[in-house]
């Protein structure tokens, strides 16, 4: 399980007639799409349209009502994807560096923590406990998982929330780099993130 | 570092570092057991009869208090989502959290049972067996407690619910543990405790992980 292992994957995703429900209400039905290696999909839709539910279903947290989701060309399905949701998953008393160390162990096959910190502008904050971070800094720390443990598929739920212009540029840069490596990025957004989407999905319209 | 080691290290640091979540159950245990002799007076026979069960009840309640936030915090802050994406099975991560709880809370509490037992007039030659029985009993309590904590992770103020779920399963370790503390059939009671602890540690994480997968929905 080397750091470069999952990089060799050229993942594809195929979604067929997907239907999901939340709290007893059907959010959308018959959603089909597919994405090739290097694709970047933007998921659009109003508040409560089902963007988060779609991403959580793709991540495997939720069971779809009907339809199927197929990932292809993955060597190690357990190392296939990252999910960045609304919650950053930070413990207030734990330092930035300790969060990076913990994730490196949890996600396996991690690269250098200092590189991840550098890419998201966290290098000066390593010893700070998470409770002292601003919203935007906490979001950067959460996004650093994407660099820390290389995985081919990224599922991002409004990843630019609370980020400043500089942070958004960093996010766009790492998304472009992942696409160039043949990765697959799906992001639920209200405003365009920067990289030109290869496809735009609208849910619940 | 493996996912098990990373989780163990983090939980240990969270329990001992800032806030000191691990000190509260220890304080509760010592407070409860040390106040009894003061409340009951120096009547030796009375204390010797009431003491052993008291040590075990105080230990069970002290563990119970730590369970409510064990998975709830991870569910609320999104850490559970991360755990589910680890290449390590969730059962292993749950076991790591249980192991950290045993080291942070179970071990200090078992060691604290030595002064507690002496204050409660236990015969000194029985103290090592009491400490050993508490070490095993804590493992059993935590194995069972993992399930209760996982099932109620999504419930606000789930403490009462946890108590209802786990206390019936706490009864066997309490019965056999009190037998050790009372000096009856010490060897046999320790064997039963060890067996119960192993069973709880083998089955608890599996059941807890199944419950947590549902919580992520």
């Amino acid at each position: 399980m080397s750091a470069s292992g999952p990089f060799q994957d050229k993942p594809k995703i195929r979604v067929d007639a997907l239907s999901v429900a939340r709290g007893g209400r059907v959010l959308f039905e018959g959603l089909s799409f597919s994405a090739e290696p290097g694709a970047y999909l933007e998921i659009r839709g109003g508040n409560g349209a089902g963007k988060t539910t779609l991403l959580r279903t793709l991540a495997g947290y939720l069971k779809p009502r009907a339809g199927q989701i197929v990932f292809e060309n993955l060597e190690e399905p357990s190392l296939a994807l990252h999910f960045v949701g609304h919650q950053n998953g930070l413990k207030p008393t734990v330092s930035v560096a300790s969060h990076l160390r913990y994730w490196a162990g949890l996600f396996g096959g991690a690269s250098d923590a200092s590189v991840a910190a550098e890419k998201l502008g966290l290098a000066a904050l390593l010893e700070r406990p998470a409770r002292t971070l601003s919203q935007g800094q906490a979001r950067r720390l959460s996004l650093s998982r994407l660099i820390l443990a290389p995985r081919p598929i990224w599922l991002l739920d409004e990843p630019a929330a609370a980020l400043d212009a500089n942070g958004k540029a960093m996010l766009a840069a790492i998304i472009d780099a992942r696409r160039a490596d043949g990765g697959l990025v799906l992001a639920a957004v209200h405003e365009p993130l920067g990289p030109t989407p290869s496809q735009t999905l609208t849910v619940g319209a | 570092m493996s996912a098990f080691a990373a989780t163990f290290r983090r939980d240990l640091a969270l329990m001992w570092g800032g806030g000191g979540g691990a000190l509260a159950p220890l304080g509760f245990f010592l407070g409860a057991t040390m106040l009894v002799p003061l409340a009951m007076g120096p009547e030796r026979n009375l204390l010797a009869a009431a003491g052993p069960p008291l040590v075990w009840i105080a230990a069970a309640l002290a563990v119970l208090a730590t369970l409510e936030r064990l998975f709830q915090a991870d569910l609320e802050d999104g850490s559970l989502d991360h755990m589910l994406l680890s290449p390590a099975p969730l059962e292993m991560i749950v076991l790591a959290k249980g192991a950290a709880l045993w080291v942070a809370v179970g071990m200090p509490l078992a060691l604290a049972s030595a002064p507690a037992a002496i204050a409660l007039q236990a015969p000194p030659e029985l103290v090592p067996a009491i400490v050993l029985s508490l070490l095993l009993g804590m493992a059993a309590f935590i194995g069972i407690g993992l399930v209760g904590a996982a099932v109620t992770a999504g419930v606000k103020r789930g403490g009462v619910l946890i108590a209802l779920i786990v206390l019936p399963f706490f009864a066997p370790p309490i019965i056999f543990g009190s037998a050790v503390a009372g000096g009856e059939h010490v060897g046999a009671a320790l064997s039963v405790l060890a067996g119960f602890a192993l069973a709880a540690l083998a089955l608890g994480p599996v059941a807890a992980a199944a419950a947590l997968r549902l919580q992520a929905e």
Side-chain angles (χ1 to χ4, degrees):
Chain A
M1 200 190 331
S2 73
S4 63
F7 265 130
Q8 310 308 320
D9 293 352
K10 298 285 182 224
K12 286 186 198 174
I13 188 169
R14 199 154 47 74
V15 171
D16 247 344
L18 189 68
S19 160
V20 301
R22 202 77 182 111
R25 197 169 71 89
V26 177
L27 291 172
F28 54 80
E29 297 186 281
L31 179 76
S32 299
F33 67 90
S34 62
E36 298 292 309
Y40 165 56
L41 271 75
E42 279 191 352
I43 300 163
R44 301 292 196 121
N47 296 135
K51 300 188 295 295
T52 298
T53 305
L54 172 60
L55 286 173
R56 291 189 71 83
T57 307
L58 293 174
Y61 299 139
L62 305 180
K63 304 232 178 331
R65 241 178 103 245
Q68 53 175 329
I69 300 162
V70 183
F71 295 104
E72 289 167 7
N73 294 353
L74 286 172
E75 298 226 340
E76 292 195 61
S78 69
L79 294 174
L81 50 90
H82 269 305
F83 175 82
V84 176
H86 293 279
Q87 297 150 314
N88 293 323
L90 306 182
K91 303 287 182 196
T93 55
V94 175
S95 74
V96 170
S98 300
H99 275 105
L100 293 172
R101 262 201 305 278
Y102 166 66
W103 287 330
L106 186 69
F107 292 116
S111 58
D112 196 353
S114 62
V115 175
E118 196 78 43
K119 281 234 167 84
L120 286 147
L122 295 167
L125 305 173
L126 285 175
E127 297 311 317
R128 291 258 297 269
R131 79 183 129 76
T132 68
L133 299 180
S134 74
Q135 286 286 326
Q137 288 169 332
R139 176 43 55 130
R140 285 173 188 230
L141 178 53
S142 185
L143 289 168
S144 69
R145 278 182 285 131
L146 300 171
I147 304 299
L148 186 68
R151 291 187 174 190
I153 302 172
W154 293 357
L155 305 172
L156 313 175
D157 194 359
E158 293 180 38
L163 288 183
D164 58 13
N166 189 7
K168 283 179 182 154
M170 285 170 171
L171 175 61
I174 63 172
I175 289 177
D176 279 333
R178 176 44 35 111
R179 293 177 71 185
D181 280 338
L184 198 52
V185 181
L186 280 81
V189 294
H190 287 294
E191 304 291 326
L193 287 184
T196 319
S198 48
Q199 198 178 338
T200 302
L201 284 175
T202 307
V203 293
Chain B
M1 195 164 41
S2 69
F4 183 93
T7 307
F8 178 80
R9 221 177 112 165
R10 168 163 154 124
D11 265 52
L12 209 54
L14 280 172
M15 281 181 236
W16 277 109
L23 286 176
L26 187 63
F28 172 84
F29 176 77
L30 279 174
T33 48
M34 295 294 177
L35 285 176
V36 169
L38 298 179
M40 289 175 80
E43 184 69 53
R44 228 185 133 81
N45 292 337
L46 201 59
L47 272 181
L54 238 148
V55 171
W56 275 84
I57 289 166
L61 294 180
V63 171
L64 197 61
T66 65
L67 295 175
E68 184 175 353
R69 292 295 294 166
L70 190 62
F71 294 117
Q72 198 172 62
D74 291 328
L75 179 65
E76 284 169 3
D77 68 20
S79 300
L80 181 61
D81 286 351
H82 302 170
M83 293 174 194
L84 286 164
L85 292 181
S86 171
L90 187 59
E91 288 79 2
M92 194 59 93
I93 294 169
V94 169
L95 183 63
K97 285 181 77 81
L101 186 59
W102 185 74
V103 172
V105 173
M107 273 182 18
L109 217 145
L111 294 178
S113 73
I118 290 165
L120 291 167
Q121 305 289 343
E125 68 273 12
L126 214 52
V127 169
I130 292 175
V131 172
L132 179 61
S133 73
L134 257 298
L135 282 172
L136 294 170
M138 282 295 150
F141 287 158
I142 288 169
I144 298 159
L146 288 173
V147 185
V151 169
T152 58
V155 183
K156 293 277 169 248
R157 310 228 178 278
V160 180
L161 200 52
I162 295 183
L164 285 174
I165 293 170
V166 303
L167 281 182
F169 296 97
F170 277 13
I174 290 178
I175 291 167
F176 288 99
S178 299
V180 174
E184 310 156 32
H185 312 293
V186 173
L190 280 175
S191 305
V192 174
L193 268 179
F196 201 86
L198 284 176
L201 287 179
L203 299 177
V206 177
L212 286 175
R213 286 200 181 89
L214 291 178
Q215 302 279 2
E217 288 217 354

